[in-house]
């Protein structure tokens, strides 16, 4: 288990992401509530198509937004680009450099429990 400091930067108040400093992982991507964000290697290897649905999405809740306009393409202090992808259920999920973003249901704020677990990786910046 890695504990994180609460240093966070995001210039756009509407940005659905921030960055946190982790003693174990360096700078990582997180939600504004300081929950670490992950990507799934299965989706990365599959060209970015959403594969985490049903029970998977209950354990790994997707970072969803109400509209694509809620996601700025860039966020100050974070290299890379953000966007959205439509999930099979119709909701819009936030992406970072084309990869869909997820949290882990059993993690609280400022904690990383599942890096490199069954193909899930914390998003390191």
């Amino acid at each position: 288990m890695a504990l994180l400091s609460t240093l966070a930067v995001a210039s756009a108040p509407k940005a659905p992401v921030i960055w946190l400093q982790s003693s174990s992982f360096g700078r990582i991507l997180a939600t504004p509530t300081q929950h670490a964000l992950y990507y799934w290697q299965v989706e990365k290897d599959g060209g970015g198509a959403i594969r985490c649905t049903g029970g998977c999405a209950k354990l790994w809740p997707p970072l969803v937004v109400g509209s694509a306009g809620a996601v700025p393409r860039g966020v100050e202090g974070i290299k890379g680009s953000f966007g959205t992808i439509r999930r099979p259920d119709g909701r819009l999920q936030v992406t970072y450099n084309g990869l869909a973003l997820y949290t882990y249901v059993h993690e609280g704020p400022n904690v990383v429990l599942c890096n490199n677990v069954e193909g899930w990786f914390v998003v390191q910046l």
Side-chain angles (χ1 to χ4, degrees), residues 33-120:
T33 58
Q34 301 175 351
H35 288 80
L37 287 167
Y38 293 85
Y39 71 90
W40 195 21
Q41 188 68 40
V42 169
E43 291 180 347
K44 183 176 183 179
D45 293 345
I50 298 294
R51 307 257 169 108
C52 183
T53 61
C56 175
K58 289 183 184 192
L59 281 175
W60 297 94
L63 179 59
V64 295
V65 291
S67 73
V71 181
R73 184 145 173 82
V75 175
E76 186 177 327
I78 301 174
K79 290 183 181 179
S81 61
F82 295 91
T84 59
I85 187 170
R86 189 150 312 270
R87 294 186 53 77
D89 64 8
R91 295 182 299 162
L92 288 174
Q93 184 169 355
V94 179
T95 62
Y96 174 66
N97 291 337
L99 295 174
L101 299 177
Y102 299 85
T103 58
Y104 179 56
V105 73
H106 296 294
E107 277 182 0
N110 301 312
V111 175
V112 173
L113 297 176
C114 292
N115 187 60
N116 197 15
V117 173
E118 297 181 8
W120 291 94

Side-chain angles (χ1 to χ4, degrees), residues 15-32:
V17 298
I18 61 171
W19 65 267
L20 297 175
Q21 184 66 38
S22 163
S23 59
S24 298
F25 302 105
R27 287 170 30 113
I28 67 166
L29 204 57
T31 68

